[in-house]
Every structure is written in C-alpha cells, then in structure tokens.
C-alpha cells in the first residue's frame, strides 16, 4: 500500500486508453466504405501495415506520422483522414475500471495528470490524440493537467507551459522537470505515483527519480521493471493507493 | 501484336489519363489480354533484382520476387490471436451456395434482410448454438437445417423495406425529384444522386460500391412502381 499520495500521473497509450477494439479492418475498412471505395479496403490495410513496419508500431504512426497516413494510405484524401480520426475515437475504449479508479483517486484528494510521450505539437484541447480521447470519453473532468514532451497543458483552461518542450519520459528529463514543479507545490516525489505500461518510459526513469511506480500489464506486458507494484486491472488501485483525505 | 507502350483511358469530356504499360501488374496485363487488347504477359518475364527463397521445416519451398534496389530483412513475426469471422452461406437457385465472409464485428451483426425477388425476409441473428471442435468455436446464429431457427414475420421485412423507401421518398421530395425523374437521369448524375441517397439512408457496400448503387436503384424502381 502506498499511503499519503498527493499526485498521480497516468500514461495514455495502452494504459488509460485501451486500443484493443481498434482493428485495421474496422477502422480502415469503415473509412473505405464511408468513402464509397470498399474495393480498396485490402490495399489500404496493406499500406497501413507497411507504415507500421516502417515506424515499428501503430501508436508511433498515429502520434507522429499522421501526415503519412493521409498521403500513403489514403492518397491525400483529407476527407478520408477526417473519417479515420472519428472512427479511431469510436473504437478506442477506456481501460476497464479506469474511470472508477480515477473517481476514487479524486475522492482521495489526489491530484491527477496524464503523462504522455506525445510526439505531435500540442494545439487546443481536443486537437491531439490524447485530449481528443479524454474529451470524447468524458474523462477530462478527472484530470487537471497533461505533461508531454511537447509541453504541459492545463486541462481546465487549455493554457500551455513550454518548460517541458523537448523533455521526454524515456530520457527522464520530463520527470526531472515534473519533480521540480511538484516540489514547488509542496509535493515530494515519494508522495507521487506514476502508472504506466512501459518500463523504459513510465516506470524505470520515474522510479530512479523517487516516484512511486505502478506497472499496468492489463493490455501489454512488457516484462519486469523496477515498479513498486504491478496491476492488470485499474480496480486494483483502490487496494494500493491511499490519499491524504481521512 | 507489337509491344504495347501505354494504357490510355479517355473520359466522356475528352480528357485522358494514361499509364506506362510496364507499370501494370502481371494480373492486369493478363486481364487486358483476355479482352484481346494485348498479348498475354510473357511466360518468363525478365527476372526481378532479388528473390526471397522461403523454406519450411517440411522441405516446402517458395520464391517471391522483389524488384527493388536493395533488400534486407527488417523483421519477421507471427501474429497469433483469436480472429472472429462470420460465414454467411446463402442457398441460391441452381448453383453452389454463395459464401460471404463477415469481417466487420461479426458477433454484432443483428439481422439479415433479403431484399428482392418476390418479397423480403428478415432473419434475426444472435448466438443460439455453440459448437466446439478442437480449438475452434462456432457460435451458430442461424441454420436452416435446424427446425428451431425461424425467420421473422413477413411484416417485419415489409416494415424494414418501407422505412428505407420512405426515407428515399422524403429525400427525393426535398430535392424536388421523383423516382421516375431520377431513373431517367443520365448515368453520371444518377450515380451522384444514388451516392447522396445512400449516405442519407446509411447504406454502405460490403465489398463493391456498385452494390450500393444497385440497391438504391432497386428501391427507386419500387417507389416508381408503387406510384407514390
């Protein structure tokens, strides 16, 4: 049990956001059908898979190379991209038990933030994949801020803080900046918890800077890490984290 | 026949688009040769720059030509996951059954309405039988051979089709069109109208867009014949 927790950061991709419903046939297939081009489904799925091999993961394409989805997969058809983004949101889901767990953290008086390794420049709330998801799924109410290598964004008023620009989770520089900011708010890293799935971005660098860490393996298990706890369902957080409220 | 150089498509407005013939795939060239437009592709084409020789543990070997400047293995991985695929078999007159694969959320398929011919029929679909065979599980949602599977009452089918024709009628009224006027249009503007109507009705094609246009045309003809 981690007691006296004052701040909790949650990773976005494959953690808070469960992409298991996001199958190529469903998303690319639906886009082609909406365009009236069902004959091109197989070809476009194939191109999308080729892009995945180029960049290593669908997450990497979606976060940093959406222009190539437009150009290479959808032949520069911007209407197709618009449908693609809508379908993507439709088939992404919130990790099971996450909303309930976030309500619990709020009731425990714990400050909550999304900590995401976003690669795309931040715009207004709802213009990037993470805030669009939070907005679409009604989760914005549970978070105060989002920290990314593109800057920090205040999820209440949309203002951004560029001190975080260029500082990634993997290098740990984002956690260095975050630790300083939390300290200014009177929060020690030992009273802050980071939850995520990837040991090399969410767990080990945060752990090295004194954060308590919880590895979520409910969607992908990336193997052992320096995490203080390992969970496979967000419901388990209630047994692990206790806030400052009596 | 001499060697073809370019494939050119001429449009109604006189504009043309072309492609170098060598850019066509072997399959395309084969199709064109069947239409008598060129000779069949050479049985032995010029070799690709690289070939992948794939060898299986049982000695089976295959080759795959890659005509690129350089080739290096980036990764090889095997995906193992449970795939859900719906298989819809249709009994048709005088021929083998038509088999359609449903890949879009097959378990969420709610119903099938067969439209056309003498009348329409609706089949409600939900898992009723579970057959296991080794690692394979079949969730049977309809089987004509099993007596307890029934199609929905005829009125249900009529209501479904009527809902579509009513929507079409409303849309035609909004556009100041009638079913007869729409059917009398030239092909290009008619297809554009069909596309618009299909979007309003919320109909998309499973495999071929022409099915959408054909369906809308059938519904429009029904409207015209009903005299509304």
């Amino acid at each position: 049990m981690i007691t006296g927790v004052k701040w909790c950061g949650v990773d976005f991709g494959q953690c808070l956001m469960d992409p298991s419903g996001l199958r190529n046939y469903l998303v690319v297939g639906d886009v082609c059908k909406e365009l009236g081009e069902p004959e091109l489904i197989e070809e476009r799925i194939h191109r999308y898979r080729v892009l995945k091999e180029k960049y290593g993961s669908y997450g990497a394409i979606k976060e940093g190379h959406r222009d190539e989805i437009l150009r290479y997969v959808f032949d520069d058809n911007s209407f197709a991209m618009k449908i693609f983004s809508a379908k993507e949101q439709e088939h992404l889901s919130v990790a099971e038990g996450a909303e309930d767990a976030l309500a619990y953290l709020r009731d425990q008086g714990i400050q909550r933030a999304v900590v995401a390794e976003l690669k795309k420049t931040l715009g207004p709330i709802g213009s990037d994949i993470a805030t669009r998801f939070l907005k679409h799924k009604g989760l914005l109410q549970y978070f105060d801020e989002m920290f990314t290598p593109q800057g920090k964004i205040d999820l209440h008023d949309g203002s951004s803080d560029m001190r975080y620009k260029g500082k990634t989770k993997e290098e740990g520089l984002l956690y260095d900046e975050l630790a300083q900011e939390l300290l200014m708010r009177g929060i020690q890293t030992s009273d802050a918890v980071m939850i995520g799935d990837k040991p090399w971005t969410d767990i080990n660098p945060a752990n090295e800077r004194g954060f308590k860490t919880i590895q979520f393996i409910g969607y992908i298990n990336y193997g052992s890490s320096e995490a203080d706890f390992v969970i496979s369902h967000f419901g388990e957080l209630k047994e692990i984290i206790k806030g400052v409220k009596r | 026949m001499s060697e073809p150089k370019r494939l050119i498509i001429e449009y109604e407005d006189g504009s043309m688009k072309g492609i170098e013939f060598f850019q066509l795939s072997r399959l395309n060239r084969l199709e064109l040769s069947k239409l008598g437009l060129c000779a069949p592709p050479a049985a032995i084409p010029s070799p690709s720059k690289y070939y992948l020789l794939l060898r299986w543990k049982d000695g089976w070997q295959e080759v795959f030509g890659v005509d690129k400047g350089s080739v290096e293995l980036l990764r090889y991985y095997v995906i193992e996951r449970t795939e859900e695929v719906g298989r819809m078999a249709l009994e048709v007159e005088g021929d083998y059954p038509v088999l359609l694969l449903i890949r879009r959320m097959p378990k969420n398929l709610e119903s099938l309405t067969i439209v056309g011919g003498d009348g329409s029929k609706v089949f409600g679909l939900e898992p009723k039988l579970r057959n296991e065979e080794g690692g394979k599980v079949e969730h049977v949602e309809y089987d004509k051979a099993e007596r307890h599977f029934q199609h929905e009452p005829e009125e249900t089918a009529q209501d479904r089709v009527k809902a579509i024709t009513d929507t079409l009628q409303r849309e035609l009224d909004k556009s100041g069109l009638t079913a007869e006027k729409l059917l009398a249009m030239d092909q290009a503007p008619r297809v554009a109208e069909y596309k618009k109507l299909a979007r309003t009705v919320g109909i998309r094609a499973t495999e071929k867009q022409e099915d959408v246009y054909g369906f809308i045309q059938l519904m429009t003809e029904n409207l015209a014949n009903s005299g509304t």
Side-chain angles (χ1 to χ4, degrees), chain A:
Chain A
M1 171 77 83
I2 312 170
T3 56
V5 175
K6 294 176 181 162
W7 182 93
C8 182
V10 188
D11 174 46
F12 171 64
Q14 291 90 44
C15 185
L16 181 63
M17 176 271 280
D18 176 357
S20 53
L22 207 62
R23 302 300 298 275
N24 286 338
Y25 188 79
L26 207 50
V27 180
V28 179
D30 276 9
V31 173
C32 294
K33 288 175 183 178
E34 291 282 10
L35 291 174
E37 298 170 345
E39 296 86 354
L40 298 179
I41 293 173
E42 294 302 331
E43 168 66 20
R44 284 182 173 150
I45 288 177
H46 183 76
R47 289 190 213 161
Y48 194 38
R49 286 179 181 147
V50 169
L51 266 194
K52 187 237 177 189
E53 297 309 326
K54 182 176 175 185
Y55 292 110
S57 73
Y58 289 116
I61 309 169
K62 284 183 206 164
E63 285 180 23
H65 306 280
R66 293 183 83 82
D67 55 324
E68 268 189 88
I69 304 179
L70 168 66
R71 206 170 54 243
Y72 184 68
V73 181
F74 293 120
D75 306 304
D76 265 326
N77 183 340
S78 52
F79 183 54
M81 254 336 261
K82 204 175 153 188
I83 306 171
F84 180 84
S85 297
K87 290 285 163 195
E88 209 175 32
Q89 287 300 325
E90 196 179 310
H91 298 299
L92 288 175
S93 51
V94 180
E96 209 178 296
E99 186 162 3
D100 196 32
L102 288 167
Y104 165 79
L105 297 176
R106 181 185 58 195
D107 296 344
Q108 288 285 306
I110 298 168
Q111 295 176 30
R112 300 146 322 271
V114 174
V115 186
E117 199 87 306
L118 286 191
K119 293 180 177 69
K120 194 186 160 197
T121 307
L122 285 176
I125 292 173
S127 63
D128 61 273
I129 189 166
T131 58
R132 194 159 53 236
F133 175 82
L134 297 177
K135 201 173 165 181
H136 196 258
K137 303 293 178 190
L139 295 181
L140 270 176
Q141 56 171 319
Y142 297 107
F143 293 102
D144 307 306
E145 54 212 347
M146 180 167 82
F147 297 90
T148 84
Q150 300 300 326
K152 172 187 137 184
I153 183 162
D154 184 314
L155 295 174
H156 298 299
D157 62 16
S159 62
S160 52
D161 178 344
M162 287 298 130
R163 274 179 300 167
Y164 290 84
K165 179 85 179 162
K167 295 175 181 170
T168 67
K169 292 202 281 185
E170 190 165 1
E171 291 166 336
L173 299 176
L174 188 144
Y175 295 111
D176 287 335
E177 192 67 49
L178 179 58
Q180 275 188 39
E181 181 172 339
L182 291 179
L183 198 60
M184 285 170 66
R185 294 190 211 165
I187 301 172
Q188 303 284 337
T189 51
S190 56
D191 296 330
V193 176
M194 179 64 206
I195 304 166
D197 62 323
K198 296 172 199 71
W200 62 93
T201 57
D202 304 314
I203 307 299
N204 300 346
N207 203 285
E208 284 157 19
R209 286 154 180 86
F211 287 84
K212 299 286 187 216
T213 49
I214 299 174
Q215 186 180 359
F216 174 71
I217 58 166
Y219 180 65
I220 303 176
N221 187 349
Y222 286 109
S224 63
S225 70
E226 296 162 12
D228 297 292
F229 291 91
V230 176
I231 60 167
S232 54
H233 190 280
F234 270 87
E236 294 171 56
L237 287 180
K238 293 180 186 176
E239 308 299 320
I240 298 174
I241 297 180
K242 200 152 177 58
V244 285
K245 273 195 180 168
R246 300 279 168 207

Side-chain angles (χ1 to χ4, degrees), chain B residues 82-99:
Chain B
T82 307
E83 287 282 358
E84 291 175 349
V85 178
R87 290 190 190 178
M88 182 175 283
L90 305 168
E91 197 173 40
V92 294
E93 192 182 324
D95 208 342
Y96 289 102
V98 170
L99 179 63

